[in-house]
Amino acid sequence: MPAMGVPKFERFFRAAAGLDVSKNDLKRYNDFVDAKLYDLFLIGTADAKANNRDVIEPQDLPVTKGLQESVHAFQKLEEGIELRPLLDQLAARPALGMDAAEETQQRLPDLAGGLSVALARALKTIARDTRRPSTDQWDEAFELFDLLI
């Protein structure tokens, strides 16, 4: 299920990093955000259990300084592109046997947006000399995120 329509997806990447992407990149983007949200929740579940909680609180999710800055950048970009309704679809919490607190649930679209900004900027760094990242450059960006999250 696409998280956002192709025109908004393309507009977002141009605004976030000056990159041109195509509808063919949309699936890999959706898969990336889904996988990284799952990873954040996997860690959040472990943290909640370690603290004897039966729900995942916002502080259980490993939001780094860099991701927090990307969330703020997303919030500024979002005003002009209006991605939040579309990210709500993608940011459905993965089932890991533990519920998320309401506040945690409400933060998911912003986390998805922050991950999106971070991905766009990582692609810009990797694809410094091109406006349209290649499949190999997308794969390199994914490898970097796998090292971090």
Side-chain angles (χ1 to χ4, degrees), residues 22-79:
S22 71
K23 65 179 181 181
N24 298 329
D25 297 320
L26 186 55
K27 179 171 179 359
R28 79 177 95 213
Y29 161 78
N30 287 342
D31 291 346
F32 166 81
V33 172
D34 185 55
K36 292 304 128 196
L37 285 176
Y38 179 86
D39 291 346
L40 290 174
F41 264 86
L42 192 62
I43 295 166
T45 298
D47 196 56
K49 286 180 182 178
N51 288 293
N52 295 315
R53 285 194 295 277
D54 58 355
V55 297
I56 301 168
E57 297 291 342
Q59 67 268 21
D60 294 323
L61 300 177
V63 178
T64 63
K65 178 181 178 248
L67 180 53
Q68 188 64 42
E69 289 170 359
S70 292
V71 166
H72 291 304
F74 163 73
Q75 289 168 336
K76 289 178 185 174
L77 285 172
E78 199 275 330
E79 293 172 8

Coordinates of all heavy atoms in Angstrom, one line a residue, residues 22-79:
S22 N 11.3 8.7 -8.8 CA 10.2 8.3 -9.6 C 9.3 7.4 -8.9 O 9.5 6.9 -7.8 CB 10.8 7.6 -10.9 OG 11.3 6.3 -10.5
K23 N 8.2 7.1 -9.6 CA 7.2 6.2 -9.0 C 7.8 4.8 -8.7 O 7.4 4.1 -7.8 CB 5.9 6.1 -9.8 CG 6.2 5.4 -11.2 CD 4.9 5.3 -12.0 CE 5.2 4.7 -13.3 NZ 4.0 4.6 -14.1
N24 N 8.8 4.5 -9.5 CA 9.5 3.2 -9.2 C 10.2 3.1 -7.9 O 10.5 2.1 -7.3 CB 10.5 2.9 -10.4 CG 9.8 2.8 -11.7 OD1 8.7 2.3 -11.8 ND2 10.5 3.2 -12.7
D25 N 10.6 4.3 -7.3 CA 11.3 4.4 -6.1 C 10.3 4.3 -4.9 O 10.7 4.1 -3.7 CB 12.1 5.7 -6.0 CG 13.2 5.7 -7.0 OD1 13.8 4.7 -7.2 OD2 13.4 6.8 -7.6
L26 N 9.0 4.5 -5.1 CA 8.0 4.6 -4.1 C 7.9 3.3 -3.2 O 7.9 3.3 -2.0 CB 6.6 4.9 -4.6 CG 5.5 5.2 -3.7 CD1 5.9 6.3 -2.7 CD2 4.3 5.6 -4.4
K27 N 8.0 2.1 -3.9 CA 7.9 0.9 -3.1 C 9.1 0.7 -2.2 O 9.0 0.3 -1.0 CB 7.8 -0.3 -4.0 CG 7.7 -1.6 -3.2 CD 7.3 -2.8 -4.0 CE 7.3 -4.1 -3.2 NZ 7.6 -4.2 -1.8
R28 N 10.3 1.0 -2.7 CA 11.5 0.8 -1.9 C 11.4 1.8 -0.7 O 11.8 1.5 0.4 CB 12.8 0.8 -2.7 CG 13.2 2.2 -3.1 CD 14.6 2.2 -3.8 NE 14.3 2.2 -5.2 CZ 15.0 1.5 -6.1 NH1 16.1 0.9 -5.8 NH2 14.7 1.6 -7.4
Y29 N 10.9 3.0 -0.9 CA 10.8 4.0 0.1 C 9.8 3.5 1.2 O 10.1 3.5 2.4 CB 10.3 5.3 -0.4 CG 9.7 6.2 0.6 CD1 10.5 6.9 1.5 CD2 8.3 6.3 0.7 CE1 9.9 7.7 2.5 CE2 7.7 7.1 1.7 CZ 8.5 7.8 2.6 OH 8.0 8.6 3.5
N30 N 8.6 3.0 0.8 CA 7.6 2.4 1.7 C 8.2 1.3 2.5 O 8.0 1.2 3.7 CB 6.4 1.9 0.9 CG 5.5 3.0 0.4 OD1 5.6 4.2 0.9 ND2 4.7 2.7 -0.5
D31 N 8.9 0.4 1.8 CA 9.6 -0.7 2.5 C 10.6 -0.3 3.6 O 10.7 -0.8 4.7 CB 10.2 -1.7 1.6 CG 9.2 -2.4 0.7 OD1 8.0 -2.5 1.0 OD2 9.7 -3.0 -0.3
F32 N 11.3 0.8 3.2 CA 12.3 1.3 4.1 C 11.7 1.9 5.4 O 12.1 1.5 6.5 CB 13.1 2.4 3.4 CG 13.9 3.3 4.4 CD1 15.2 2.8 4.8 CD2 13.5 4.5 4.8 CE1 15.9 3.6 5.7 CE2 14.2 5.3 5.7 CZ 15.4 4.8 6.2
V33 N 10.7 2.7 5.2 CA 10.0 3.3 6.4 C 9.4 2.3 7.2 O 9.5 2.3 8.5 CB 9.0 4.4 6.0 CG1 8.2 4.9 7.2 CG2 9.7 5.6 5.3
D34 N 8.7 1.3 6.6 CA 8.1 0.2 7.4 C 9.1 -0.6 8.2 O 8.9 -0.8 9.4 CB 7.3 -0.7 6.4 CG 6.6 -1.8 7.1 OD1 5.7 -1.5 8.0 OD2 6.8 -3.0 6.8
A35 N 10.2 -0.9 7.6 CA 11.3 -1.7 8.2 C 11.9 -0.9 9.4 O 12.1 -1.4 10.5 CB 12.4 -2.1 7.2
K36 N 12.1 0.4 9.2 CA 12.8 1.2 10.2 C 11.8 1.5 11.4 O 12.3 1.5 12.6 CB 13.4 2.5 9.7 CG 14.5 2.3 8.7 CD 15.7 1.5 9.4 CE 16.1 0.3 8.6 NZ 16.9 -0.7 9.3
L37 N 10.6 1.7 11.1 CA 9.6 1.8 12.2 C 9.5 0.5 13.0 O 9.4 0.5 14.2 CB 8.2 2.2 11.7 CG 8.0 3.6 11.3 CD1 6.7 3.9 10.7 CD2 8.3 4.6 12.4
Y38 N 9.5 -0.6 12.3 CA 9.5 -1.9 13.0 C 10.8 -2.0 13.9 O 10.6 -2.5 15.1 CB 9.5 -3.1 11.9 CG 9.6 -4.4 12.6 CD1 8.4 -5.0 13.0 CD2 10.8 -5.1 12.8 CE1 8.4 -6.3 13.6 CE2 10.8 -6.3 13.4 CZ 9.6 -6.9 13.8 OH 9.6 -8.2 14.4
D39 N 11.9 -1.6 13.4 CA 13.2 -1.7 14.2 C 13.0 -0.8 15.4 O 13.5 -1.2 16.5 CB 14.4 -1.3 13.4 CG 14.7 -2.3 12.3 OD1 14.2 -3.4 12.3 OD2 15.5 -1.9 11.4
L40 N 12.5 0.4 15.3 CA 12.4 1.3 16.4 C 11.4 0.6 17.5 O 11.7 0.7 18.7 CB 11.8 2.6 16.0 CG 12.8 3.5 15.2 CD1 12.0 4.8 14.7 CD2 14.0 3.9 16.0
F41 N 10.3 0.0 17.0 CA 9.4 -0.6 17.9 C 10.0 -1.9 18.5 O 9.6 -2.2 19.7 CB 8.1 -0.9 17.2 CG 7.1 0.2 17.5 CD1 7.1 1.3 16.7 CD2 6.2 0.1 18.6 CE1 6.2 2.4 17.0 CE2 5.3 1.2 18.8 CZ 5.3 2.3 18.0
L42 N 10.8 -2.6 17.8 CA 11.4 -3.8 18.4 C 12.3 -3.3 19.6 O 12.2 -3.9 20.7 CB 12.3 -4.4 17.3 CG 12.8 -5.8 17.6 CD1 11.7 -6.8 17.8 CD2 13.7 -6.3 16.5
I43 N 13.0 -2.3 19.4 CA 13.9 -1.8 20.5 C 13.0 -1.2 21.6 O 13.2 -1.4 22.8 CB 14.9 -0.7 20.0 CG1 15.9 -1.4 19.1 CG2 15.6 0.0 21.2 CD1 16.7 -0.4 18.2
G44 N 11.9 -0.5 21.2 CA 11.0 0.1 22.2 C 10.3 -1.0 23.0 O 10.1 -0.8 24.3
T45 N 10.0 -2.1 22.4 CA 9.3 -3.2 23.2 C 10.3 -3.7 24.2 O 9.9 -4.0 25.4 CB 8.9 -4.3 22.2 OG1 7.9 -3.8 21.3 CG2 8.3 -5.5 22.9
A46 N 11.5 -3.9 23.8 CA 12.5 -4.5 24.8 C 12.7 -3.5 25.9 O 12.8 -3.9 27.1 CB 13.8 -4.7 24.0
D47 N 12.8 -2.2 25.6 CA 13.0 -1.2 26.7 C 11.8 -1.1 27.6 O 12.0 -1.1 28.8 CB 13.2 0.2 26.0 CG 13.8 1.2 27.0 OD1 14.9 0.9 27.6 OD2 13.2 2.3 27.2
A48 N 10.6 -1.2 27.1 CA 9.4 -1.2 27.9 C 9.4 -2.4 28.8 O 9.1 -2.3 30.0 CB 8.1 -1.2 27.1
K49 N 9.7 -3.6 28.3 CA 9.8 -4.8 29.1 C 10.8 -4.7 30.2 O 10.6 -5.1 31.4 CB 10.0 -6.0 28.3 CG 8.8 -6.4 27.4 CD 9.2 -7.7 26.6 CE 8.0 -8.1 25.7 NZ 8.3 -9.2 24.9
A50 N 12.0 -4.1 29.9 CA 13.1 -4.0 30.8 C 12.7 -3.0 31.9 O 13.2 -3.1 33.1 CB 14.3 -3.5 30.1
N51 N 11.8 -2.1 31.7 CA 11.3 -1.2 32.7 C 10.0 -1.6 33.3 O 9.3 -0.7 33.9 CB 11.2 0.2 32.1 CG 12.6 0.8 31.9 OD1 13.3 1.1 32.8 ND2 13.0 1.0 30.6
N52 N 9.6 -2.8 33.1 CA 8.4 -3.4 33.7 C 7.1 -2.7 33.3 O 6.2 -2.5 34.1 CB 8.5 -3.5 35.2 CG 9.6 -4.4 35.6 OD1 9.7 -5.5 35.1 ND2 10.4 -4.0 36.6
R53 N 7.1 -2.3 32.0 CA 5.8 -1.6 31.5 C 5.2 -2.6 30.5 O 5.9 -3.3 29.8 CB 6.2 -0.3 30.8 CG 6.5 0.8 31.8 CD 6.5 2.2 31.1 NE 7.6 2.3 30.1 CZ 8.8 2.6 30.4 NH1 9.2 2.8 31.6 NH2 9.7 2.7 29.4
D54 N 3.9 -2.5 30.4 CA 3.2 -3.3 29.5 C 2.7 -2.6 28.2 O 2.0 -3.1 27.4 CB 2.0 -4.1 30.1 CG 1.0 -3.1 30.8 OD1 1.3 -1.9 30.8 OD2 0.0 -3.6 31.2
V55 N 3.1 -1.3 28.1 CA 2.9 -0.5 26.9 C 4.2 0.2 26.6 O 5.0 0.5 27.4 CB 1.7 0.5 27.1 CG1 0.4 -0.1 27.4 CG2 2.1 1.5 28.2
I56 N 4.3 0.5 25.3 CA 5.5 1.2 24.8 C 5.2 2.7 24.9 O 4.3 3.3 24.3 CB 5.8 0.9 23.3 CG1 6.0 -0.6 23.2 CG2 7.0 1.6 22.8 CD1 6.0 -1.2 21.8
E57 N 6.0 3.4 25.7 CA 5.9 4.8 25.9 C 6.9 5.5 25.0 O 7.8 4.9 24.5 CB 6.3 5.2 27.4 CG 5.4 4.6 28.4 CD 4.0 5.2 28.4 OE1 3.8 6.3 27.9 OE2 3.1 4.6 29.0
P58 N 6.6 6.8 24.7 CA 7.5 7.5 23.7 C 9.0 7.4 24.1 O 9.9 7.2 23.2 CB 7.1 8.9 23.8 CG 5.6 8.8 24.2 CD 5.6 7.7 25.1
Q59 N 9.3 7.4 25.4 CA 10.7 7.3 25.8 C 11.4 6.0 25.5 O 12.6 5.8 25.6 CB 10.9 7.8 27.3 CG 10.3 6.8 28.3 CD 8.9 7.2 28.7 OE1 8.2 8.0 27.9 NE2 8.4 6.8 29.8
D60 N 10.5 5.0 25.2 CA 11.1 3.6 24.9 C 11.6 3.5 23.5 O 12.4 2.7 23.2 CB 10.0 2.6 25.1 CG 9.5 2.4 26.5 OD1 10.4 2.6 27.5 OD2 8.3 2.2 26.8
L61 N 11.2 4.4 22.7 CA 11.7 4.4 21.3 C 13.0 5.1 21.2 O 13.2 6.2 21.8 CB 10.7 5.1 20.3 CG 9.3 4.5 20.3 CD1 8.4 5.3 19.4 CD2 9.3 3.0 19.8
P62 N 14.0 4.5 20.5 CA 15.4 5.1 20.4 C 15.5 6.2 19.4 O 16.0 6.1 18.3 CB 16.2 3.9 20.0 CG 15.3 3.1 19.2 CD 13.9 3.2 19.8
V63 N 15.0 7.4 19.8 CA 15.0 8.5 19.0 C 16.3 9.3 19.3 O 16.4 9.9 20.3 CB 13.8 9.4 19.2 CG1 13.8 10.7 18.3 CG2 12.5 8.6 18.8
T64 N 17.2 9.3 18.3 CA 18.5 9.9 18.5 C 18.4 11.4 18.2 O 17.3 11.9 17.7 CB 19.5 9.4 17.5 OG1 19.1 9.6 16.2 CG2 19.7 7.9 17.7
K65 N 19.4 12.2 18.5 CA 19.4 13.6 18.2 C 19.2 13.9 16.7 O 18.5 14.7 16.3 CB 20.7 14.2 18.7 CG 20.9 15.7 18.4 CD 22.2 16.2 18.9 CE 22.3 17.7 18.5 NZ 23.3 17.9 17.5
G66 N 19.9 13.1 15.9 CA 19.8 13.2 14.5 C 18.4 13.0 14.0 O 17.9 13.7 13.1
L67 N 17.7 11.9 14.5 CA 16.4 11.6 14.1 C 15.4 12.7 14.6 O 14.5 13.1 13.8 CB 15.9 10.2 14.6 CG 14.5 9.8 14.2 CD1 14.3 9.9 12.7 CD2 14.2 8.4 14.7
Q68 N 15.7 13.2 15.8 CA 14.8 14.3 16.3 C 15.0 15.6 15.4 O 14.0 16.2 15.1 CB 15.2 14.7 17.7 CG 14.3 15.6 18.4 CD 12.9 15.1 18.5 OE1 12.7 13.9 18.9 NE2 11.9 15.9 18.2
E69 N 16.2 15.9 14.9 CA 16.4 17.0 14.0 C 15.7 16.8 12.7 O 15.1 17.7 12.1 CB 17.9 17.3 13.8 CG 18.5 17.8 15.1 CD 20.0 17.9 15.0 OE1 20.6 17.4 13.9 OE2 20.7 18.3 15.9
S70 N 15.7 15.5 12.2 CA 15.0 15.2 11.0 C 13.5 15.3 11.2 O 12.8 15.7 10.2 CB 15.4 13.8 10.5 OG 16.7 13.8 10.1
V71 N 13.0 15.0 12.3 CA 11.5 15.1 12.6 C 11.2 16.6 12.5 O 10.2 17.0 11.9 CB 11.1 14.5 14.0 CG1 9.8 15.0 14.4 CG2 11.2 13.0 13.9
H72 N 12.0 17.5 13.1 CA 11.7 18.9 13.1 C 11.8 19.4 11.6 O 10.9 20.2 11.2 CB 12.7 19.7 13.9 CG 12.5 19.5 15.4 ND1 11.3 19.7 16.1 CD2 13.3 19.0 16.4 CE1 11.4 19.4 17.3 NE2 12.7 19.0 17.5
A73 N 12.7 18.9 10.9 CA 12.8 19.3 9.4 C 11.6 18.8 8.7 O 11.0 19.6 7.9 CB 14.1 18.8 8.8
F74 N 11.1 17.6 9.0 CA 9.9 17.1 8.4 C 8.7 18.0 8.7 O 7.9 18.3 7.8 CB 9.6 15.7 8.8 CG 8.2 15.2 8.6 CD1 7.8 15.0 7.3 CD2 7.3 15.1 9.6 CE1 6.5 14.6 7.0 CE2 6.0 14.8 9.3 CZ 5.6 14.5 8.0
Q75 N 8.6 18.4 10.0 CA 7.4 19.2 10.4 C 7.4 20.5 9.6 O 6.3 21.0 9.2 CB 7.5 19.4 11.9 CG 7.1 18.2 12.6 CD 7.4 18.2 14.1 OE1 8.2 19.1 14.6 NE2 6.8 17.4 14.9
K76 N 8.5 21.1 9.3 CA 8.6 22.3 8.5 C 8.2 22.0 7.1 O 7.4 22.8 6.5 CB 10.0 23.0 8.6 CG 10.3 23.5 9.9 CD 11.7 24.1 9.9 CE 12.0 24.6 11.3 NZ 13.4 25.0 11.4
L77 N 8.7 21.0 6.5 CA 8.4 20.6 5.1 C 6.9 20.2 5.0 O 6.3 20.5 3.9 CB 9.3 19.4 4.6 CG 10.7 19.7 4.3 CD1 11.4 18.4 4.1 CD2 10.8 20.6 3.1
E78 N 6.4 19.5 6.0 CA 5.1 19.0 5.9 C 4.0 20.0 5.7 O 3.0 19.8 5.0 CB 4.8 18.2 7.2 CG 3.7 17.2 7.1 CD 2.3 17.8 7.3 OE1 2.2 18.8 8.1 OE2 1.3 17.3 6.7
E79 N 4.2 21.2 6.2 CA 3.3 22.3 6.1 C 2.9 22.6 4.6 O 1.8 22.8 4.3 CB 3.8 23.5 6.8 CG 3.9 23.4 8.3 CD 4.5 24.6 9.0 OE1 4.8 25.6 8.3 OE2 4.8 24.5 10.2

